[in-house]
């Protein structure tokens, strides 16, 4: 590069034409060199600016573009968190729906169990009204006690699961509201940042003042941004923990429903089988007692008639026959006592059979109503002791029946006048 002509001393008046021409040529040469160097430098600057997109912009536009890129970068970060929060909100809503479904299934299962519990308690209450000879601990009693304890335990377990489900629903609802609020705050920040893009960039003269103001205003924004990030991490972490908790609860609730249903049906089947066997046993024993009681009653009637006839034919001097008739009379009295015991046993068996049949007919509708109470009242009236015996005794002792031959034959041997007279004559008591 040529030397700067301005550095050379100023030429004085030329002495001759040759010096004047030399000085003029030097000035022209210096001008050409400086012009060429400047054009080359400007060309290099243009080439560099062409390689950088932002190099051709002025400072204001450049700062505004940088700000725009910064704002959109923050917006992209906000949108990533918002999308993650939206996915969690969808998962939380599905979890709320499934948890509510689990609570509904648990409630229905608890209601079904309570209906069976009412049936079980009513059966126990009815069977407590059995006659004393039948009031013992049989297989039906054990099955009902086992079923009652099972249903009570299942009821408590289902109630605890329902309470836990309601707590999870409340936590999920609160988490959903928190996620929605956090997403809303980030959307507001995005809108605020985008609206700040159109703010004018400060002039170079006021650059120092604007930087101080920007730093002062940026510090709260930075703190707010860091707080949002911390809140986002905490909220998303707690949401994932809550979703895992829901998943465990969902599996446990469905398993509990299936387990309770199976155990309840098994206990019910065991009780029904025990009750059916007990009814069949009582029905068979009742038929056996009725047959035996009919035979005993016919034997008593036949013995009364024959002993009465024998006492009429008894000679006063026939001591051996009198002793024989006396022994037969005692045996007849013993048979009457056996008949009374069989009658009482038949009454107890019939009452117990009616109670067990009533227990067999009990269902959820009857357990909650008053129809079974009416049946219980009927059972209590049927189980009144000696009711039929008193009716027979009143009929026998009535004047109409005592005057007829049938009435005399139906009277007991001990009350027959002929037998009393024959016995007194044979034994010499009167």
């Amino acid at each position: 590069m040529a030397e700067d002509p301005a550095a050379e001393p100023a030429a004085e008046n030329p002495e001759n034409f040759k010096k004047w021409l030399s000085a003029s040529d030097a000035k022209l040469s210096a001008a050409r060199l400086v012009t060429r160097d400047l054009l080359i430098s400007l060309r290099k600057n243009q080439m560099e600016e062409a390689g950088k997109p932002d190099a051709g912009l002025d400072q204001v536009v450049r700062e505004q573009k940088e700000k725009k890129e910064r704002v959109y970068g923050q917006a992209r970060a906000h949108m990533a968190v918002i999308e993650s929060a939206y996915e969690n909100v969808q998962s939380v809503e599905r979890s709320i729906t499934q948890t509510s479904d689990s609570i509904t299934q648990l409630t229905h299962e608890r209601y079904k169990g309570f209906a069976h519990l009412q049936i079980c308690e009513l059966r126990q209450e009815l069977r407590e009204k059995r006659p004393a000879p039948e009031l013992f601990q049989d297989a039906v009693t054990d099955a009902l006690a086992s079923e009652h304890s099972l249903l009570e335990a299942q009821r408590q377990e289902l109630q605890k699961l329902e309470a836990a489900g309601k707590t999870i629903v409340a936590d999920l609802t609160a988490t959903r509201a928190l996620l929605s609020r956090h997403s809303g705050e980030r959307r507001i920040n995005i809108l605020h940042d985008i609206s700040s893009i159109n703010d004018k960039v400060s002039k170079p003269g006021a650059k120092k003042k604007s930087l101080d103001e920007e730093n002062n205003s940026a510090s709260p924004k930075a703190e707010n941004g860091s707080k949002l990030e911390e809140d986002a991490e905490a909220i998303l972490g707690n949401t994932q923990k809550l979703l895992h908790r829901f998943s465990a609860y969902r599996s446990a609730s469905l398993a509990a429903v299936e387990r309770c249903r199976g155990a309840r049906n098994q206990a019910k089947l065991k009780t029904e089988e025990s009750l059916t066997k007990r009814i069949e046993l009582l029905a068979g024993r009742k038929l056996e007692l009725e047959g035996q009681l009919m035979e005993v009653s016919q034997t008593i009637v036949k013995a009364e008639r024959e002993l009465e006839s024998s006492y009429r034919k008894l000679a006063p001097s026939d001591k051996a026959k009198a002793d024989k008739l006396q022994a037969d009379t005692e045996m007849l009295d013993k048979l009457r006592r056996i008949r009374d015991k069989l009658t009482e046993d038949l009454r107890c068996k019939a009452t117990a059979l009616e109670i067990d049949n009533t227990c067999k007919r009990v269902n959820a509708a009857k357990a909650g109503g008053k129809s079974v109470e009416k049946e219980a009242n009927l059972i209590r009236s049927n189980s009144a002791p000696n009711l039929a015996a008193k009716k027979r005794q009143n009929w026998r002792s009535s004047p109409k029946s005592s005057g007829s031959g049938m009435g005399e034959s139906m009277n007991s041997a001990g009350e027959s006048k002929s037998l009393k007279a024959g016995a007194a004559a044979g034994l010499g008591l009167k």
Side-chain angles (χ1 to χ4, degrees):
M1 186 176 181
E3 296 179 357
D4 190 359
E8 296 179 356
E12 298 179 356
N13 294 329
E15 296 179 357
N16 51 33
F17 174 78
K18 187 177 180 179
K19 289 183 179 181
W20 171 83
L21 183 61
S22 176
S24 179
D25 290 339
K27 291 178 182 178
L28 290 173
S29 178
R32 291 188 188 99
L33 290 175
V34 172
T35 302
R36 186 194 61 183
D37 293 339
L38 180 60
L39 291 175
I40 292 173
S41 178
L42 293 176
R43 183 61 181 171
K44 289 181 179 179
N45 292 336
Q46 289 178 358
M47 293 175 65
E48 291 178 358
E49 290 175 358
K52 298 180 180 179
D54 295 341
L57 301 177
D58 58 9
Q59 182 64 24
V60 175
V61 178
R62 186 182 296 110
E63 290 180 1
Q64 191 168 3
K65 186 175 181 181
E66 292 176 355
K67 185 176 182 181
K68 183 177 181 180
E69 291 178 353
R70 184 174 63 254
V71 167
Y72 280 126
Q74 294 176 355
R76 283 191 295 272
H78 285 311
M79 288 304 300
V81 177
I82 290 173
E83 290 177 359
S84 178
Y86 177 76
E87 293 176 357
N88 285 321
V89 167
Q90 297 296 317
S91 300
V92 166
E93 289 181 350
R94 287 193 297 268
S95 301
I96 291 174
T97 303
Q98 294 180 10
T99 306
S100 300
D101 176 69
S102 296
I103 294 174
T104 302
Q105 293 189 34
L106 291 170
T107 304
H108 290 173
E109 193 65 24
R110 180 168 59 86
Y111 286 167
K112 292 177 184 177
F114 183 69
H116 285 275
L117 183 62
Q118 283 185 320
I119 294 173
C120 182
E121 290 178 349
L122 185 56
R123 285 174 173 174
Q124 288 179 328
E125 182 181 354
L126 288 173
R127 298 192 89 246
E128 288 295 328
K129 296 180 175 63
R130 291 177 296 167
E134 302 296 325
L135 195 61
F136 63 94
Q137 187 173 358
D138 54 358
V140 180
T141 305
D142 295 337
L144 287 174
S146 177
E147 184 181 7
H148 188 274
S149 61
L150 175 67
L151 293 174
E152 283 288 352
Q154 287 184 355
R155 181 174 174 81
Q156 294 177 2
E157 179 184 1
L158 293 175
Q159 285 178 341
K160 290 181 180 178
L161 286 174
E162 288 179 30
K166 292 178 181 178
T167 303
I168 291 177
V169 169
D171 293 342
L172 288 171
T173 304
T175 301
R176 180 181 60 184
L178 191 59
L179 287 170
S180 299
R181 188 183 67 184
H182 186 75
S183 299
E185 291 178 355
R186 285 185 175 270
R187 291 181 186 277
I188 292 173
N189 287 340
I190 291 174
L191 294 177
H192 182 269
D193 292 340
I194 291 176
S195 64
S196 66
I197 294 176
N198 297 326
D199 293 344
K200 293 182 179 180
V201 181
S202 59
K203 295 180 180 180
K207 188 173 183 180
K208 184 177 180 180
K209 183 178 179 181
S210 63
L211 287 175
D212 295 338
E213 293 177 355
E214 186 176 355
N215 292 332
N216 294 331
S217 62
S219 58
K221 290 182 180 179
E223 294 177 358
N224 188 19
S226 61
K227 186 176 183 301
L228 279 177
E229 294 299 328
E230 293 176 359
D231 292 344
E233 292 179 0
I235 292 171
L236 294 178
N238 293 332
T239 302
Q240 292 300 318
K241 291 180 181 178
L242 187 57
L243 291 176
H244 288 307
R245 177 181 161 196
F246 149 75
S247 179
Y249 171 79
R250 177 69 171 175
S251 302
S253 61
L254 295 179
V257 169
E258 293 296 329
R259 185 180 67 256
C260 290
R261 184 183 294 120
R264 187 185 67 243
N265 292 335
Q266 187 176 2
K268 177 186 175 183
L269 181 61
K270 182 180 178 180
T271 302
E272 294 290 341
E273 289 178 352
S274 301
L275 196 57
T276 301
K277 291 180 181 179
R278 179 64 180 169
I279 289 173
E280 292 176 354
L281 178 63
L282 286 174
R285 186 52 57 92
K286 180 173 175 289
L287 290 176
E288 186 178 355
L289 285 172
E290 287 175 347
Q292 187 64 41
L293 186 60
M294 182 179 295
E295 182 180 355
V296 169
S297 299
Q298 291 175 355
T299 303
I300 289 174
V301 172
K302 182 178 179 181
E304 287 177 350
R305 290 178 180 176
E306 292 183 0
L307 284 176
E308 186 177 358
S309 176
S310 297
Y311 271 117
R312 286 199 193 103
K313 299 175 184 179
L314 179 63
S317 60
D318 195 350
K319 180 69 173 176
K321 188 174 182 180
D323 293 340
K324 177 66 170 58
L325 292 176
Q326 180 62 28
D328 292 342
T329 302
E330 292 176 357
M331 191 178 299
L332 179 61
D333 292 337
K334 182 179 180 180
L335 189 59
R336 288 195 191 97
R337 292 192 294 270
I338 292 174
R339 181 192 62 184
D340 294 338
K341 291 180 180 179
L342 288 177
T343 303
E344 179 64 19
D345 193 19
L346 177 61
R347 183 192 66 80
C348 294
K349 295 292 189 297
T351 303
L353 179 61
E354 182 62 25
I355 288 175
D356 287 341
N357 280 326
T358 303
C359 292
K360 187 74 174 177
R361 293 190 297 268
V362 168
N363 53 24
K366 290 184 178 181
K370 297 182 179 180
S371 57
V372 178
E373 184 64 26
K374 294 181 181 179
E375 293 183 7
N377 292 332
L378 290 176
I379 291 172
R380 284 195 292 270
S381 65
N382 290 334
S383 61
N386 300 325
L387 183 58
K390 288 182 179 179
K391 290 182 179 179
R392 289 196 301 269
Q393 184 176 359
N394 292 335
W395 177 78
R396 289 173 180 174
S397 61
S398 62
K400 294 182 180 180
S401 62
S402 61
S404 61
M406 185 180 294
E408 292 178 0
S409 63
M410 292 297 293
N411 287 336
S412 61
E415 296 176 356
S416 174
K417 294 180 180 180
S418 301
L419 289 176
K420 286 182 179 180
L427 297 175
L429 296 175
K430 289 187 179 178

